[in-house]
Amino acid sequence: GCVLVVSVIEQLAQWHNSTVKAAVERLCNYIPGKYQIICHMFCCIDREMNADVVCHSLKLCKQDPGQPLCHLYPPPKVSWFSIFFQSYKLWKKIFEGFSSVCAFPLLDNLCEKMKYVIRNKLPFEDFDGDKFSTFPTLRGYHWRGRDCNDKNTTVYPGRRPDNWDVTSDSNCNGIWGVDPKDGIPYEEKFCKGADSQGVVLLGDSAGAHFHIPPEWMTVTEMSAKSFANLPMAFTDELDWPQFSEITGFLNSTIGGWTDSLYLRLRQRNRCNHRDLQNISQNGGSSGNLLYLIKSLARNQLLDYPAIVIYATIGNDVCNGNRDTLAHMTTPKEMLSNVVQALRYLDTRLPNGSHVILTGLVDGRFLWDNLHDRYHPLGQLNRDVTYSQLYSFLDCLQVSPCSGWLTPNETLRNLTSERALQLSNVLKEIATSEKFANFDVFYMDFPLRQTAEEWRKMGGEPWQLIEPVDGFHPSQIAAALGTSITWQKALREWPQVLGKENPFNGQIQAIFKDQGGH
């Protein structure tokens, strides 16, 4: 992170032919409000100090005994030690008393909120404790359907209506009251027997839709508008679930377009409005999902059934360890983890629910399509390729996937082999395990079909990968993946999707007449 920020500052100075100090001020003026404190940390950069030197001297990058010195750029011509010593003296007073970024004034309260949501995966602003919120970020309604009464714990998205919602909207789908023409409650008239159901994602950073905007580090296009979404992105953990493949519901502002399983279910049955939960986390795997799943909000007696997508598509084989193969999930561990999760779901999901297990991705696609391309940081001077970035992260032992983001073809193949083994475990579970409250299906992660579809549309495969991290599916990949998944479900499991609600047109017409959305 430090290297990225300092690189941007140095490139801003180059692009605008200014001093580094002026570039820091320019960047600080772009960044909104309280977040400027992070920018001012880098007030003392000197032109002789490249990003690696600055970040090592800040102790944000370190070199343990016996480990290589990690750097993204070529080493400076003068000795590292002399520049480190010079830099350290400059920063010692600035950082004295601050053990971390969160110790800075203005950021400490925000960091406490972030720690809460990262630890609990529940909305920070939830006054009635029903796990739903009227606040968008900090695990609010970007992640779960928006609460319509945050002072009443019995009112939340996904519940069966209370007395057909004659007097109020108990399930937040916007349908309540009585038709004056015949005295029948709208909820009963339009939603009774309509196979209403919610959608829940249990997943990882791909499912949460991790995204670092490339305009944050493309100095040729940078302006104050580039960072307008910084506060929202930070308080959503750099995830964008509101645009994601499973639970997206807003028009994308990060490129591409939004298409999601939730939107398609809602289009099929307007009574499903707001019934969504994205229970994902960066780094999610079959192991830590056993804790994450406890934040699910579903009452077996009071709520509608749900379609649950179980999709940890990479982290069971991805880690940043040098001996990466030794730290991958084994087939035996995968079987145990997933069956435990399904047994827990059987105690929480209403009868008539469905679970779809998604296989792991073949991540060789990443190296094959990106390794020799320039990263956004390297586009100005044509000096940083994805291969260099991957090597830098691997050296720091923070690579998101040492097994796939490597020039070692043998290791890439072994990682894909393990991923296939784990996918086969999921496939076997879907055919052999039975549960009281839901049936289980399996589907491969549709990367190959997505790439083929994108080529037909005139696109290039590298555009399906997030440009900054070079690892996650892009917005385009997410939207195309939804279409492919939906078509498969229509062909093979139509019972999962529920029937088309014949009253959708009437519901929409009433909303339009009343000025609703």
Side-chain angles (χ1 to χ4, degrees), residues 390-402:
Y390 295 156
S391 296
F392 175 55
L393 296 176
D394 192 53
C395 178
L396 290 171
Q397 298 182 39
V398 295
S399 171
C401 198
S402 294

Side-chain angles (χ1 to χ4, degrees), residues 223-252:
S223 68
K225 290 182 179 179
S226 304
F227 294 94
N229 54 16
L230 176 63
M232 181 182 71
F234 184 71
T235 50
D236 266 337
E237 304 158 51
L238 292 178
D239 295 321
W240 308 71
Q242 68 273 31
F243 307 140
S244 65
E245 180 176 350
I246 304 299
T247 63
F249 63 94
L250 294 177
N251 291 331
S252 172

Side-chain angles (χ1 to χ4, degrees), residues 90 98 155 176 199 274 276 283 337 373 421 439 445 447 459 468 486 501:
L90 284 171
F98 296 115
V155 175
W176 64 281
V199 59
R274 291 191 184 177
L276 63 100
N337 291 340
R373 297 187 62 84
Q421 292 171 357
D439 43 17
F445 186 84
L447 179 60
V468 173
W486 184 262
N501 189 331

Side-chain angles (χ1 to χ4, degrees), residues 155-220:
V155 175
Y156 54 86
R159 67 157 292 168
R160 296 181 186 274
D162 180 18
N163 190 30
W164 292 115
D165 284 356
V166 170
T167 59
S168 63
D169 189 5
S170 66
N171 57 17
C172 303
N173 68 357
I175 303 170
W176 64 281
V178 177
D179 189 337
K181 296 176 183 177
D182 53 23
I184 300 175
Y186 286 120
E187 181 86 42
E188 181 180 5
K189 176 181 284 190
F190 296 145
C191 302
K192 184 178 181 180
D195 289 344
S196 297
Q197 57 186 340
V199 59
V200 177
L201 173 65
L202 301 174
D204 51 23
S205 52
H209 204 31
F210 185 89
H211 168 80
I212 298 175
E215 59 267 26
W216 288 4
M217 53 193 65
T218 307
V219 298
T220 56

Side-chain angles (χ1 to χ4, degrees), residues 266-282:
R266 182 185 178 281
Q267 184 180 25
R268 195 172 180 83
N269 178 7
R270 181 60 181 69
C271 300
N272 292 329
H273 182 52
R274 291 191 184 177
D275 195 357
L276 63 100
Q277 296 181 55
N278 192 315
I279 303 176
S280 302
Q281 71 174 13
N282 298 334

Side-chain angles (χ1 to χ4, degrees), residues 29 51 77 94 109 133 145 175 189 200 236 270-271 293 296 300 310 369 378 405 461 468 494:
N29 288 333
K77 295 177 182 178
I94 298 172
N109 183 49
S133 177
I175 303 170
K189 176 181 284 190
V200 177
D236 266 337
R270 181 60 181 69
C271 300
I293 200 173
L296 171 69
Q300 281 189 316
Y310 184 105
N369 289 287
L405 308 183
V468 173

Side-chain angles (χ1 to χ4, degrees), residues 364-377:
R364 289 176 292 193
F365 184 88
L366 302 169
W367 179 269
D368 291 346
N369 289 287
L370 280 185
H371 74 276
D372 57 353
R373 297 187 62 84
Y374 288 110
H375 184 269
L377 276 183

